[in-house]
Amino acid sequence: MNYNVNEKGYYGDFGGAYIPEMLYPNVEELRQNYISVMQEPEFQEEFKELLKEYVGRPTPLYYAKRFSEKYGTKVYLKREDLCHTGAHKVNNTIGQILMAKRLGKNRIIAETGAGQHGVATATVCALMGLECIVYMGAIDIKRQAPNVARMKMLGATVISAESGSKTLKDATNEAIRDWINNPTNTHYIIGSVVGPHPYPDMVARFQSVISEEVKKQLLEKEGRENPDYVVACVGGGSNAAGLFYHYLDKPEVGIIAVEAAGKGIHSGESAATSALGKEGIIHGSKTLLMQTDDGQITEPYSISAGLDYPGVGPMHAHLFRSGRGEFISVTDADAMQAGLDLCKLEGIIPAIESSHALAIFEDRKFKKDDVIVVNLSGRGDKDLNTYIEYFDLA
Amino acid sequence: MNRINKKLQEDKKLLSIYFTAGYPKLEDTVPVLEELVKAGVDMIEIGLPFSDPLADGPTIQESSTAALKNGMTTAKLFDQIKDIRKTVTIPLIVMGYFNPMLQYGVEKFCKECSEIGIDGLIMPDLPLAEYEAHYKATFEKYDLKMVFLITPQTSDERIKQIDAASDGFIYMVSSASTTGKTSGFSTVQTDYFERIAALNLKNPQIVGFGIKDRETFKAATKTAKGAIIGSAFIKTLTENGIEGISSFVKSINYLGASPEDIR
C-alpha cells in the first residue's frame, strides 16, 4: 500500500482540495510549482544552508539512558527542541518562506494556536524582510501572552480571531479568509500537515529532514537505519509526519502516533481525533475530524495548546484507517507526569505536546532490545506557566 | 423544466436574496421565505449554517453561529420547509458548506431536497473536480442544479470548464473577497464584468458578493443576468426584522427601474 500522497492529492481516502473557487488560483499555483521548486538545486542548497547555520541542524539523536533503564527498552530522543525558536515548526517555515520568495510573494500570513508556529513564521519573515501577519484566536492570545510578545518583537502583526470558538481552527479560518481577500501577493504558511493539497505533502517534505537525519544518526549509533518504532505526538501532525516520513514504506518500523485524550477520551474534553472523529472536511481537506452528527466542527480540548486541533492531517487519517499506524491517546495527567519525569531523569524540560509521546511507555510495553525513536518536538519553556500551575511549583 | 432554467429565460434582471435559515429565530425560516416572495424577489438562496464558513465575512458568520445556537440542523431545515411548495413557486436554492451535506449523506440530502422542491445547490467548498468525479450523477438524478463560483482571478480556460459543467447559472463573485465587503464597485469590477460578458458563456451569470443596494445591483446587472444580495440582507434582517424585508427589497427598486437600467 502507498502511504504517501498520490497524484490527485489523496492519501487513501483522505486529502484533496475542498476549497472555495476564490482560493483555487493560489492553491493551484502552489500545486503546479511546489515539487519543481523544491527540486531546484539552488533551492535545496539555500534550504539546507539555513537549516544548518540558522536552525542549528542536524539536531542530536540522543540516547536517553536513564529513561531507557526505567522502561527496560532502548529510547532515543530526536532533539527537535534544540531547533532555533524551540521546536520543529521552523523546519517548515524556512522551507515555505523560500517557496514564497520563489513564487514572488511579498506578504506572509499564518495561523497559530499556542504561538509556536506563529513565532517560527515571524522569525523567518524577519530573516527575509517580508511582511508577516499572524492570526491567533482571541482566547489563545490571552493564554499565550509570551509568544504574542515574541511575534511582535519579531515585527509581525498579530490579529485576534474573534469568530467561532476563538481558538486555532478559527485562526485558520481567518487566515484562509485573508488569503481569499489578498489573492495575488500573499503566501499562506500553514503550520501543519493539514489544509488543501499540496499543503500536507509540502509540509511533510519540509519536515522530513527529521527522519532523514535519524536514518544517518541511527546507522552510526546502532549500525542500522531503521528503528523498531518511531513515536510522535499528533495534533495536526507535522512533527509526526517528519519523523515517520522515511519509514512509511518500511513495514519493519512500527509507527506510533500519540493523540491528546485531554481529560479522557469520553469526558467530552478531548482531542483524540482518531477515536472521536469521523470522516469530513476541515480547512480544505477530507480527513478525520471531531464534529457533531450534523457535521458542525466541534472544539477539542487538551492541556497542550499544540494538540487541540479538531482534525488530523490526511496522511495520519490514512495511517490510522489502513492500520499502518498504531494510535494511542494520552490524558493530560499522564502527559504532565511524563514531562516532569523526563526533567528529573534526563535534565530535559519537554514541551507538553512532546510529553504525550513520552507518556506511552507506562502502558505500552516494548522488548528490551527494541530501538525506539521518540520525537522530542519542542522544549517546555513556553509551557512553564502550565507546569507551574499544574504541579504547584511556585 | 427546472424552475431555475425557466426563471433565467424571463426577460428581466433577476434579484436573488440569500438568508441564513433559522435566523434571527429558529422558526423564522419560512416566514422570511414567504415575506421575500411577497416582496417580489426572483430567487432565494436558503443558507444552511455551518460552524466554519470559510468564504464568508463577519455578517454571515455571525448569523450562522446564531442560527446554530438556535438549534438549526439539516434535518430541522428540511422539516421546516417540507411544505414550502404549497405556497412558494420561485426557484429555491440551498447554499451551504459541504461537510454538513456529507454527514447527512449526499444521496439522502439530494433526495430530500428534490422531494421538497429545491432546485439547486451552492456548495462553495465542493470544487469542480470532486463534484464531477464523485457527486454529479447523484445531483443530476434528483434534478438539482449545482451552481459554481467564478472570481476575477479565475482563468478564462477554467471559466469555460465551469460553463461546460453547469446547467443553470454561474455565480460570479464580484471581487477577490469574502462575503459582505461593502467598498462598492470600481473599474476593476466593471472591467471584469465586461470580460466575462465577452466570453459568451452558455450559462447566464448572476453576480454576488458586495451587492448591497440599488447602485451596486444596477452596476452588477449591467452585463449579468442578475445579482444576489446576502450580507446586506442579513444586516437589515438583524436591524429591522421580518417587517423590514419588503421595504429593503423595494429599495433595490429593480422592478420599478427604467428599461435601460434593467435590460
Short mmCIF file of all heavy atoms in Angstrom, two decimals, chain A residues 10 16-22 24-25 163 169-170 173-174 176-177 180-181 183 278-281 286 289 291 293-297, chain B residues 49-56 61 68 73-74 99-100 102-103 124-125 127 130 135 149 151 153-154 158 176-178 181 209:
data_model
loop_
_atom_site.label_atom_id
_atom_site.label_comp_id
_atom_site.label_asym_id
_atom_site.label_seq_id
_atom_site.Cartn_x
_atom_site.Cartn_y
_atom_site.Cartn_z
N TYR A 10 -4.37 12.73 -2.73
CA TYR A 10 -5.01 11.92 -1.68
C TYR A 10 -4.05 10.93 -1.03
O TYR A 10 -3.16 10.38 -1.68
CB TYR A 10 -6.18 11.12 -2.27
CG TYR A 10 -7.44 11.94 -2.39
CD1 TYR A 10 -7.63 12.79 -3.47
CD2 TYR A 10 -8.41 11.89 -1.40
CE1 TYR A 10 -8.78 13.56 -3.57
CE2 TYR A 10 -9.56 12.65 -1.50
CZ TYR A 10 -9.74 13.49 -2.58
OH TYR A 10 -10.87 14.24 -2.67
N GLY A 16 -7.16 15.73 -0.72
CA GLY A 16 -7.88 16.51 -1.71
C GLY A 16 -7.79 18.00 -1.43
O GLY A 16 -7.03 18.43 -0.56
N ALA A 17 -8.54 18.75 -2.20
CA ALA A 17 -8.53 20.21 -2.03
C ALA A 17 -9.96 20.73 -2.11
O ALA A 17 -10.45 21.08 -3.18
CB ALA A 17 -7.65 20.87 -3.09
N TYR A 18 -10.64 20.71 -0.97
CA TYR A 18 -12.04 21.15 -0.89
C TYR A 18 -12.07 22.64 -0.56
O TYR A 18 -12.29 23.02 0.59
CB TYR A 18 -12.81 20.32 0.12
CG TYR A 18 -12.96 18.88 -0.30
CD1 TYR A 18 -11.92 17.98 -0.14
CD2 TYR A 18 -14.13 18.45 -0.94
CE1 TYR A 18 -12.05 16.66 -0.57
CE2 TYR A 18 -14.27 17.14 -1.36
CZ TYR A 18 -13.22 16.25 -1.17
OH TYR A 18 -13.34 14.96 -1.60
N ILE A 19 -11.78 23.43 -1.56
CA ILE A 19 -11.62 24.86 -1.32
C ILE A 19 -12.59 25.66 -2.16
O ILE A 19 -12.96 25.25 -3.26
CB ILE A 19 -10.19 25.32 -1.67
CG1 ILE A 19 -9.78 24.75 -3.03
CG2 ILE A 19 -9.22 24.91 -0.57
CD1 ILE A 19 -8.52 25.34 -3.58
N PRO A 20 -13.00 26.82 -1.64
CA PRO A 20 -13.83 27.70 -2.46
C PRO A 20 -13.04 28.17 -3.69
O PRO A 20 -11.82 28.27 -3.65
CB PRO A 20 -14.15 28.89 -1.55
CG PRO A 20 -13.66 28.55 -0.20
CD PRO A 20 -12.75 27.38 -0.31
N GLU A 21 -13.77 28.46 -4.75
CA GLU A 21 -13.14 28.85 -6.01
C GLU A 21 -12.20 30.05 -5.83
O GLU A 21 -11.20 30.19 -6.53
CB GLU A 21 -14.24 29.19 -7.03
CG GLU A 21 -13.76 29.38 -8.45
CD GLU A 21 -13.12 28.14 -9.06
OE1 GLU A 21 -13.49 27.02 -8.70
OE2 GLU A 21 -12.22 28.31 -9.92
N MET A 22 -12.49 30.90 -4.84
CA MET A 22 -11.66 32.07 -4.61
C MET A 22 -10.22 31.68 -4.30
O MET A 22 -9.30 32.46 -4.51
CB MET A 22 -12.21 32.90 -3.44
CG MET A 22 -13.54 33.58 -3.74
SD MET A 22 -14.86 32.36 -3.60
CE MET A 22 -15.50 32.80 -2.02
N TYR A 24 -8.79 28.88 -5.48
CA TYR A 24 -8.29 27.95 -6.48
C TYR A 24 -7.00 28.43 -7.16
O TYR A 24 -6.02 27.66 -7.24
CB TYR A 24 -9.38 27.64 -7.51
CG TYR A 24 -8.94 26.67 -8.58
CD1 TYR A 24 -8.98 25.30 -8.35
CD2 TYR A 24 -8.45 27.13 -9.81
CE1 TYR A 24 -8.55 24.40 -9.32
CE2 TYR A 24 -8.02 26.23 -10.78
CZ TYR A 24 -8.07 24.88 -10.53
OH TYR A 24 -7.64 24.00 -11.48
N PRO A 25 -6.95 29.71 -7.63
CA PRO A 25 -5.71 30.12 -8.33
C PRO A 25 -4.47 30.02 -7.43
O PRO A 25 -3.41 29.58 -7.89
CB PRO A 25 -5.99 31.57 -8.73
CG PRO A 25 -7.47 31.71 -8.71
CD PRO A 25 -7.96 30.78 -7.63
N SER A 163 -13.92 35.08 15.65
CA SER A 163 -15.08 34.32 15.20
C SER A 163 -15.13 32.95 15.89
O SER A 163 -14.13 32.51 16.46
CB SER A 163 -15.02 34.13 13.68
OG SER A 163 -13.83 33.45 13.32
N LYS A 169 -8.76 26.65 15.23
CA LYS A 169 -9.49 26.41 14.00
C LYS A 169 -10.04 27.72 13.44
O LYS A 169 -10.11 27.90 12.23
CB LYS A 169 -10.60 25.36 14.19
CG LYS A 169 -11.90 25.85 14.76
CD LYS A 169 -12.96 24.75 14.75
CE LYS A 169 -14.19 25.15 15.57
NZ LYS A 169 -15.06 26.11 14.87
N ASP A 170 -10.38 28.63 14.33
CA ASP A 170 -10.92 29.92 13.89
C ASP A 170 -9.81 30.82 13.36
O ASP A 170 -10.00 31.58 12.42
CB ASP A 170 -11.68 30.56 15.04
CG ASP A 170 -12.67 29.57 15.61
OD1 ASP A 170 -13.69 29.34 14.96
OD2 ASP A 170 -12.37 28.98 16.67
N ASN A 173 -9.38 29.63 9.95
CA ASN A 173 -10.43 30.20 9.09
C ASN A 173 -10.09 31.63 8.70
O ASN A 173 -10.25 32.04 7.54
CB ASN A 173 -11.78 30.20 9.80
CG ASN A 173 -12.33 28.80 10.02
OD1 ASN A 173 -11.95 27.87 9.33
ND2 ASN A 173 -13.22 28.65 10.99
N GLU A 174 -9.65 32.43 9.68
CA GLU A 174 -9.36 33.84 9.40
C GLU A 174 -8.19 33.99 8.44
O GLU A 174 -8.19 34.87 7.58
CB GLU A 174 -9.07 34.60 10.70
CG GLU A 174 -10.28 34.79 11.61
CD GLU A 174 -11.44 35.51 10.93
OE1 GLU A 174 -11.20 36.37 10.05
OE2 GLU A 174 -12.61 35.20 11.25
N ILE A 176 -7.37 31.85 6.15
CA ILE A 176 -7.89 31.48 4.82
C ILE A 176 -8.70 32.64 4.24
O ILE A 176 -8.59 32.97 3.06
CB ILE A 176 -8.72 30.18 4.91
CG1 ILE A 176 -7.79 29.00 5.22
CG2 ILE A 176 -9.50 29.94 3.62
CD1 ILE A 176 -8.49 27.68 5.50
N ARG A 177 -9.49 33.30 5.08
CA ARG A 177 -10.27 34.45 4.59
C ARG A 177 -9.35 35.58 4.14
O ARG A 177 -9.62 36.26 3.14
CB ARG A 177 -11.23 34.96 5.68
CG ARG A 177 -12.38 33.99 5.93
CD ARG A 177 -13.33 34.49 7.02
NE ARG A 177 -14.31 33.46 7.31
CZ ARG A 177 -14.51 32.91 8.52
NH1 ARG A 177 -13.81 33.34 9.57
NH2 ARG A 177 -15.40 31.96 8.67
N ILE A 180 -8.19 34.73 0.75
CA ILE A 180 -9.23 34.99 -0.24
C ILE A 180 -9.23 36.47 -0.62
O ILE A 180 -9.38 36.84 -1.77
CB ILE A 180 -10.62 34.56 0.30
CG1 ILE A 180 -10.72 33.04 0.34
CG2 ILE A 180 -11.75 35.16 -0.52
CD1 ILE A 180 -11.97 32.49 1.00
N ASN A 181 -9.04 37.32 0.39
CA ASN A 181 -9.09 38.76 0.15
C ASN A 181 -7.79 39.32 -0.44
O ASN A 181 -7.76 40.47 -0.86
CB ASN A 181 -9.44 39.50 1.45
CG ASN A 181 -10.92 39.35 1.80
OD1 ASN A 181 -11.77 39.93 1.15
ND2 ASN A 181 -11.23 38.52 2.80
N PRO A 183 -5.45 37.71 -2.97
CA PRO A 183 -5.11 36.51 -3.74
C PRO A 183 -3.79 36.57 -4.51
O PRO A 183 -3.30 35.53 -4.93
CB PRO A 183 -6.28 36.38 -4.71
CG PRO A 183 -6.78 37.76 -4.90
CD PRO A 183 -6.53 38.48 -3.61
N LYS A 278 -14.89 11.58 12.78
CA LYS A 278 -15.49 10.90 11.64
C LYS A 278 -14.98 11.59 10.38
O LYS A 278 -14.55 12.74 10.42
CB LYS A 278 -17.01 11.02 11.69
CG LYS A 278 -17.67 10.09 12.70
CD LYS A 278 -19.18 10.26 12.67
CE LYS A 278 -19.59 11.67 13.06
NZ LYS A 278 -21.01 11.94 13.03
N GLU A 279 -15.09 10.88 9.26
CA GLU A 279 -14.64 11.45 8.01
C GLU A 279 -15.41 12.73 7.69
O GLU A 279 -16.62 12.77 7.82
CB GLU A 279 -14.87 10.41 6.91
CG GLU A 279 -14.18 10.72 5.62
CD GLU A 279 -14.29 9.54 4.65
OE1 GLU A 279 -14.06 8.39 5.08
OE2 GLU A 279 -14.59 9.80 3.48
N GLY A 280 -14.69 13.75 7.29
CA GLY A 280 -15.35 15.01 6.95
C GLY A 280 -14.36 15.97 6.33
O GLY A 280 -13.24 15.58 6.00
N ILE A 281 -14.82 17.21 6.18
CA ILE A 281 -13.99 18.22 5.52
C ILE A 281 -13.64 19.31 6.52
O ILE A 281 -14.52 19.91 7.12
CB ILE A 281 -14.75 18.89 4.36
CG1 ILE A 281 -15.40 17.87 3.44
CG2 ILE A 281 -13.83 19.86 3.60
CD1 ILE A 281 -14.51 17.18 2.48
N LYS A 286 -10.17 16.46 3.18
CA LYS A 286 -11.03 15.39 3.69
C LYS A 286 -10.19 14.56 4.64
O LYS A 286 -9.14 14.04 4.28
CB LYS A 286 -11.55 14.53 2.54
CG LYS A 286 -12.57 13.49 3.00
CD LYS A 286 -13.01 12.59 1.87
CE LYS A 286 -14.25 13.15 1.18
NZ LYS A 286 -14.76 12.21 0.16
N LEU A 289 -12.26 14.09 11.54
CA LEU A 289 -12.37 15.29 12.36
C LEU A 289 -13.50 15.15 13.37
O LEU A 289 -14.45 14.38 13.17
CB LEU A 289 -12.58 16.54 11.50
CG LEU A 289 -13.89 16.71 10.78
CD1 LEU A 289 -14.58 17.98 11.25
CD2 LEU A 289 -13.65 16.82 9.30
N GLN A 291 -16.68 16.25 15.15
CA GLN A 291 -17.82 17.02 14.68
C GLN A 291 -19.10 16.46 15.28
O GLN A 291 -19.13 15.36 15.80
CB GLN A 291 -17.89 16.94 13.16
CG GLN A 291 -17.90 15.49 12.63
CD GLN A 291 -17.85 15.42 11.11
OE1 GLN A 291 -18.56 16.14 10.45
NE2 GLN A 291 -17.01 14.54 10.58
N ASP A 293 -23.17 15.19 14.95
CA ASP A 293 -23.86 14.35 13.98
C ASP A 293 -24.31 15.16 12.77
O ASP A 293 -24.50 14.64 11.69
CB ASP A 293 -25.09 13.68 14.61
CG ASP A 293 -24.69 12.66 15.66
OD1 ASP A 293 -23.52 12.21 15.62
OD2 ASP A 293 -25.53 12.32 16.52
N ASP A 294 -24.50 16.46 12.99
CA ASP A 294 -24.99 17.34 11.94
C ASP A 294 -23.86 17.90 11.09
O ASP A 294 -24.08 18.71 10.19
CB ASP A 294 -25.79 18.48 12.58
CG ASP A 294 -26.61 19.25 11.57
OD1 ASP A 294 -27.24 18.60 10.72
OD2 ASP A 294 -26.58 20.49 11.60
N GLY A 295 -22.61 17.51 11.40
CA GLY A 295 -21.49 17.98 10.58
C GLY A 295 -20.94 19.34 10.96
O GLY A 295 -20.25 19.97 10.17
N GLN A 296 -21.25 19.79 12.17
CA GLN A 296 -20.64 21.04 12.65
C GLN A 296 -19.35 20.65 13.39
O GLN A 296 -19.34 19.70 14.18
CB GLN A 296 -21.59 21.79 13.59
CG GLN A 296 -22.98 22.01 13.03
CD GLN A 296 -23.01 22.87 11.77
OE1 GLN A 296 -22.10 23.65 11.51
NE2 GLN A 296 -24.06 22.69 10.97
N ILE A 297 -18.30 21.41 13.15
CA ILE A 297 -17.00 21.07 13.72
C ILE A 297 -16.97 21.47 15.20
O ILE A 297 -17.38 22.57 15.56
CB ILE A 297 -15.87 21.75 12.91
CG1 ILE A 297 -15.91 21.24 11.47
CG2 ILE A 297 -14.50 21.47 13.55
CD1 ILE A 297 -14.99 21.95 10.51
N PRO B 49 -26.65 26.83 7.84
CA PRO B 49 -25.50 27.35 8.59
C PRO B 49 -24.43 26.30 8.87
O PRO B 49 -24.72 25.12 9.02
CB PRO B 49 -26.13 27.85 9.90
CG PRO B 49 -27.42 27.13 10.02
CD PRO B 49 -27.89 26.85 8.63
N PHE B 50 -23.17 26.77 8.91
CA PHE B 50 -22.02 25.90 9.17
C PHE B 50 -21.13 26.59 10.21
O PHE B 50 -21.03 27.81 10.24
CB PHE B 50 -21.25 25.66 7.87
CG PHE B 50 -20.06 24.74 8.01
CD1 PHE B 50 -20.16 23.52 8.68
CD2 PHE B 50 -18.83 25.09 7.47
CE1 PHE B 50 -19.06 22.68 8.80
CE2 PHE B 50 -17.72 24.25 7.59
CZ PHE B 50 -17.84 23.04 8.25
N SER B 51 -20.50 25.75 11.03
CA SER B 51 -19.66 26.29 12.11
C SER B 51 -18.43 27.03 11.59
O SER B 51 -17.92 27.92 12.26
CB SER B 51 -19.20 25.14 13.01
OG SER B 51 -18.54 24.13 12.24
N ASP B 52 -17.96 26.69 10.41
CA ASP B 52 -16.70 27.23 9.91
C ASP B 52 -16.81 27.72 8.47
O ASP B 52 -16.18 27.16 7.57
CB ASP B 52 -15.59 26.18 10.04
CG ASP B 52 -15.30 25.84 11.49
OD1 ASP B 52 -16.13 25.15 12.11
OD2 ASP B 52 -14.25 26.28 12.00
N PRO B 53 -17.62 28.77 8.26
CA PRO B 53 -17.88 29.21 6.88
C PRO B 53 -16.72 30.03 6.30
O PRO B 53 -16.67 31.25 6.39
CB PRO B 53 -19.15 30.07 7.02
CG PRO B 53 -19.11 30.60 8.43
CD PRO B 53 -18.36 29.59 9.25
N LEU B 54 -15.80 29.33 5.64
CA LEU B 54 -14.55 29.91 5.15
C LEU B 54 -14.69 31.07 4.18
O LEU B 54 -13.86 31.96 4.16
CB LEU B 54 -13.76 28.83 4.39
CG LEU B 54 -13.14 27.73 5.19
CD1 LEU B 54 -12.42 26.77 4.27
CD2 LEU B 54 -12.17 28.36 6.18
N ALA B 55 -15.73 31.02 3.37
CA ALA B 55 -15.84 32.03 2.31
C ALA B 55 -16.65 33.24 2.75
O ALA B 55 -16.87 34.15 1.97
CB ALA B 55 -16.46 31.40 1.06
N ASP B 56 -17.09 33.23 4.00
CA ASP B 56 -17.98 34.28 4.44
C ASP B 56 -17.33 35.29 5.38
O ASP B 56 -16.51 34.94 6.21
CB ASP B 56 -19.21 33.67 5.13
CG ASP B 56 -20.14 33.05 4.12
OD1 ASP B 56 -20.60 33.79 3.23
OD2 ASP B 56 -20.38 31.84 4.20
N GLN B 61 -21.10 34.93 8.99
CA GLN B 61 -20.56 34.09 10.08
C GLN B 61 -21.42 34.22 11.33
O GLN B 61 -21.79 33.23 11.96
CB GLN B 61 -19.16 34.54 10.48
CG GLN B 61 -18.05 34.18 9.53
CD GLN B 61 -16.76 34.88 9.95
OE1 GLN B 61 -16.46 34.99 11.13
NE2 GLN B 61 -16.02 35.38 9.00
N LEU B 68 -27.08 28.31 14.48
CA LEU B 68 -26.69 27.02 15.08
C LEU B 68 -27.04 27.00 16.56
O LEU B 68 -27.53 26.01 17.09
CB LEU B 68 -25.20 26.76 14.86
CG LEU B 68 -24.78 26.49 13.41
CD1 LEU B 68 -23.26 26.42 13.29
CD2 LEU B 68 -25.41 25.20 12.89
N THR B 73 -30.41 22.63 12.22
CA THR B 73 -29.66 21.49 11.69
C THR B 73 -30.20 21.22 10.28
O THR B 73 -31.24 21.79 9.90
CB THR B 73 -29.88 20.20 12.51
OG1 THR B 73 -31.27 19.85 12.42
CG2 THR B 73 -29.50 20.37 13.97
N THR B 74 -29.54 20.34 9.56
CA THR B 74 -30.02 19.98 8.23
C THR B 74 -31.43 19.37 8.32
O THR B 74 -32.34 19.76 7.58
CB THR B 74 -29.06 18.96 7.58
OG1 THR B 74 -27.74 19.52 7.61
CG2 THR B 74 -29.44 18.67 6.16
N ASN B 99 -19.44 19.89 4.36
CA ASN B 99 -19.36 18.90 5.44
C ASN B 99 -20.73 18.49 6.01
O ASN B 99 -20.97 17.30 6.18
CB ASN B 99 -18.42 19.36 6.54
CG ASN B 99 -18.01 18.20 7.44
OD1 ASN B 99 -17.56 17.16 6.97
ND2 ASN B 99 -18.22 18.36 8.74
N PRO B 100 -21.63 19.44 6.30
CA PRO B 100 -22.95 19.01 6.79
C PRO B 100 -23.69 18.11 5.79
O PRO B 100 -24.35 17.15 6.19
CB PRO B 100 -23.69 20.34 7.01
CG PRO B 100 -22.60 21.32 7.31
CD PRO B 100 -21.46 20.90 6.41
N LEU B 102 -22.23 16.09 3.63
CA LEU B 102 -21.52 14.81 3.67
C LEU B 102 -21.99 13.97 4.86
O LEU B 102 -22.20 12.77 4.75
CB LEU B 102 -20.02 15.10 3.78
CG LEU B 102 -19.02 14.04 3.38
CD1 LEU B 102 -19.23 13.59 1.94
CD2 LEU B 102 -17.60 14.59 3.54
N GLN B 103 -22.16 14.61 6.01
CA GLN B 103 -22.58 13.88 7.20
C GLN B 103 -24.03 13.41 7.08
O GLN B 103 -24.39 12.34 7.57
CB GLN B 103 -22.43 14.73 8.47
CG GLN B 103 -21.01 15.17 8.77
CD GLN B 103 -20.00 14.05 8.62
OE1 GLN B 103 -20.21 12.94 9.10
NE2 GLN B 103 -18.91 14.32 7.92
N PRO B 124 -19.83 26.11 -1.82
CA PRO B 124 -18.59 26.76 -2.25
C PRO B 124 -17.34 25.90 -2.07
O PRO B 124 -16.38 26.07 -2.80
CB PRO B 124 -18.49 28.01 -1.35
CG PRO B 124 -19.80 28.15 -0.69
CD PRO B 124 -20.53 26.85 -0.77
N ASP B 125 -17.36 24.99 -1.10
CA ASP B 125 -16.14 24.21 -0.89
C ASP B 125 -16.21 22.80 -1.49
O ASP B 125 -15.42 21.93 -1.14
CB ASP B 125 -15.75 24.15 0.59
CG ASP B 125 -16.84 23.54 1.47
OD1 ASP B 125 -17.99 23.40 1.00
OD2 ASP B 125 -16.54 23.21 2.63
N PRO B 127 -15.42 21.55 -4.86
CA PRO B 127 -14.88 22.05 -6.12
C PRO B 127 -15.27 21.20 -7.32
O PRO B 127 -15.69 20.05 -7.19
CB PRO B 127 -13.37 22.02 -5.90
CG PRO B 127 -13.13 21.10 -4.77
CD PRO B 127 -14.42 20.91 -4.02
N GLU B 130 -13.92 17.44 -7.74
CA GLU B 130 -14.51 16.47 -6.82
C GLU B 130 -15.98 16.23 -7.20
O GLU B 130 -16.47 15.10 -7.14
CB GLU B 130 -14.46 16.98 -5.37
CG GLU B 130 -13.07 17.35 -4.88
CD GLU B 130 -12.14 16.16 -4.76
OE1 GLU B 130 -12.64 15.01 -4.77
OE2 GLU B 130 -10.92 16.38 -4.69
N TYR B 135 -19.92 13.24 -7.39
CA TYR B 135 -21.26 13.62 -6.95
C TYR B 135 -22.23 14.03 -8.05
O TYR B 135 -23.43 14.12 -7.83
CB TYR B 135 -21.16 14.74 -5.90
CG TYR B 135 -20.25 14.34 -4.75
CD1 TYR B 135 -19.01 14.93 -4.57
CD2 TYR B 135 -20.63 13.32 -3.86
CE1 TYR B 135 -18.16 14.54 -3.53
CE2 TYR B 135 -19.80 12.91 -2.83
CZ TYR B 135 -18.57 13.53 -2.67
OH TYR B 135 -17.74 13.13 -1.66
N LEU B 149 -18.90 28.80 -8.61
CA LEU B 149 -18.46 30.18 -8.49
C LEU B 149 -17.30 30.45 -9.45
O LEU B 149 -16.51 29.56 -9.73
CB LEU B 149 -17.97 30.45 -7.05
CG LEU B 149 -19.01 30.77 -5.98
CD1 LEU B 149 -20.07 29.69 -5.89
CD2 LEU B 149 -18.36 30.98 -4.63
N THR B 151 -14.37 33.86 -10.04
CA THR B 151 -13.90 35.10 -9.42
C THR B 151 -13.07 35.87 -10.45
O THR B 151 -12.74 35.33 -11.51
CB THR B 151 -13.01 34.83 -8.20
OG1 THR B 151 -11.67 34.54 -8.65
CG2 THR B 151 -13.51 33.65 -7.38
N GLN B 153 -10.10 36.24 -10.49
CA GLN B 153 -8.83 35.54 -10.71
C GLN B 153 -9.00 34.25 -11.50
O GLN B 153 -8.01 33.61 -11.85
CB GLN B 153 -8.17 35.21 -9.36
CG GLN B 153 -7.35 36.34 -8.76
CD GLN B 153 -8.22 37.47 -8.26
OE1 GLN B 153 -9.27 37.25 -7.69
NE2 GLN B 153 -7.80 38.70 -8.50
N THR B 154 -10.23 33.84 -11.73
CA THR B 154 -10.44 32.58 -12.46
C THR B 154 -10.04 32.75 -13.92
O THR B 154 -10.46 33.70 -14.58
CB THR B 154 -11.93 32.15 -12.37
OG1 THR B 154 -12.35 32.24 -11.01
CG2 THR B 154 -12.11 30.73 -12.85
N ARG B 158 -10.52 28.01 -17.23
CA ARG B 158 -11.29 27.36 -16.18
C ARG B 158 -12.75 27.80 -16.22
O ARG B 158 -13.66 27.01 -15.96
CB ARG B 158 -10.68 27.65 -14.80
CG ARG B 158 -11.35 26.87 -13.69
CD ARG B 158 -10.51 26.83 -12.44
NE ARG B 158 -11.27 26.36 -11.29
CZ ARG B 158 -11.42 25.07 -10.97
NH1 ARG B 158 -10.85 24.14 -11.71
NH2 ARG B 158 -12.13 24.72 -9.91
N ALA B 176 -12.20 39.81 -5.32
CA ALA B 176 -11.43 38.87 -4.51
C ALA B 176 -11.74 39.16 -3.05
O ALA B 176 -11.09 39.96 -2.40
CB ALA B 176 -9.94 39.05 -4.77
N SER B 177 -12.77 38.51 -2.54
CA SER B 177 -13.13 38.82 -1.16
C SER B 177 -14.04 37.75 -0.58
O SER B 177 -14.56 36.91 -1.30
CB SER B 177 -13.85 40.17 -1.08
OG SER B 177 -15.20 40.01 -1.46
N THR B 178 -14.18 37.79 0.73
CA THR B 178 -15.22 37.03 1.39
C THR B 178 -16.52 37.83 1.26
O THR B 178 -16.51 38.97 0.77
CB THR B 178 -14.85 36.84 2.87
OG1 THR B 178 -14.32 38.07 3.38
CG2 THR B 178 -13.80 35.77 3.03
N LYS B 181 -18.12 42.42 1.98
CA LYS B 181 -17.27 43.61 1.83
C LYS B 181 -18.09 44.65 1.10
O LYS B 181 -18.74 44.37 0.11
CB LYS B 181 -16.02 43.27 1.00
CG LYS B 181 -15.08 42.35 1.72
CD LYS B 181 -13.99 43.14 2.44
CE LYS B 181 -13.41 42.28 3.51
NZ LYS B 181 -12.02 42.38 3.76
N PHE B 209 -21.60 38.81 -3.87
CA PHE B 209 -20.55 39.38 -3.02
C PHE B 209 -20.45 40.89 -3.28
O PHE B 209 -20.10 41.31 -4.37
CB PHE B 209 -19.17 38.76 -3.25
CG PHE B 209 -19.01 37.33 -2.77
CD1 PHE B 209 -20.00 36.39 -2.96
CD2 PHE B 209 -17.84 36.93 -2.14
CE1 PHE B 209 -19.85 35.07 -2.53
CE2 PHE B 209 -17.68 35.60 -1.71
CZ PHE B 209 -18.69 34.69 -1.91
#
